[in-house]
Amino acid sequence: MTVIFEKPGPENTEQVLKTACERAKELGINEVVVASTKGVTAYKALDIFNGFNITVVTYHCGFKEPFKSVMPEKVKTDLKKKGATVVSATHALSGVERSLAKRFSGIYPVLIIADTLRLFGQGTKVAIEVSIMASDSGALSGSDIISIGGTGRGADTALVLKPANQSDLFEMRIREIICKPRDF
Ligand SMILES: Cc1cc2nc3c(=O)[nH]c(=O)nc-3n(C[C@H](O)[C@H](O)[C@H](O)COP(=O)(O)O)c2cc1C
């Protein structure tokens, strides 16, 4: 049964992580991907997904300030020390198209895919995007995963996915929506 939250946002984080962890155990999934900007959701995921293979995906360097990491380097180091894999890479569902859109306006297929996924909520788009980034970094085995995203901060969406690399996006399967917000 999908858990539907009335509102998007970080207040749903704990319930997302706990519900997703229960479902992962039922399905025998042991790989989890989680979006985290500053590390808040990543630390909570590390607490709850005990014994899982956790990949934390951050914003790309330069997202806020040129060449600067949004997640402090000391947080990345600490998350790795606690057993997580940390991935900071080009965003799979915007990439260079963001530069084209800024310079030329117009219509760009990857940005259309992103906005179409946002019809399910920001968190769904993010969960899919970070799963691609984790796949391309070599962090995943290719087995089904739990992927978690949110709206600005925290987590409000969890999916069960058959992951795929960016070059095989249409091989991805969204198997289950564990939770998502109703309104966004
Ligand atoms: C690669 C990446 C892309 C993201 N894109 C969006 C987005 O399009 N819309 C949105 O509301 N949040 C977006 N987020 C924010 C996440 O969904 C999530 O809420 C946030 O990273 C949690 O950070 P925290 O652990 O510091 O709270 C993105 C995060 C990452 C890492």
Side-chain angles (χ1 to χ4, degrees), residues 10-31:
E11 59 274 24
N12 302 306
T13 303
E14 205 163 310
Q15 199 182 340
V16 170
L17 297 171
K18 285 185 175 159
T19 312
C21 186
E22 276 170 32
R23 190 65 185 138
K25 286 177 183 162
E26 285 166 6
L27 293 171
I29 291 174
N30 78 338
E31 293 171 72

Side-chain angles (χ1 to χ4, degrees), residues 92-95 97-98 101 105-120 125 169-170:
L93 295 180
S94 55
E97 281 194 359
R98 184 89 76 205
S105 76
I107 295 169
Y108 299 93
V110 175
L111 299 183
I112 292 172
I113 292 172
D115 268 2
T116 305
L117 290 170
R118 284 190 178 100
L119 295 175
F120 292 88
K125 172 263 178 186
L169 173 63
F170 298 108

Side-chain angles (χ1 to χ4, degrees), residues 9-10 13 34-44 56-60 63 71 87 89-92 94 98 114 118 121-123 125-127 129-130 133 148-156:
T13 303
V34 59
S36 190
T37 305
K38 294 283 176 73
V40 182
T41 314
Y43 281 114
K44 288 182 180 160
V56 175
V57 179
T58 77
Y59 280 113
H60 68 82
F63 185 80
M71 181 181 284
V87 172
T90 302
H91 292 192
S94 55
R98 184 89 76 205
R118 284 190 178 100
Q122 297 284 341
K125 172 263 178 186
V126 174
E129 181 166 48
V130 294
M133 293 160 72
I148 294 170
T151 304
R153 290 185 301 120
D156 57 22

Side-chain angles (χ1 to χ4, degrees), residues 65 128 152:
E65 272 184 88
I128 288 169

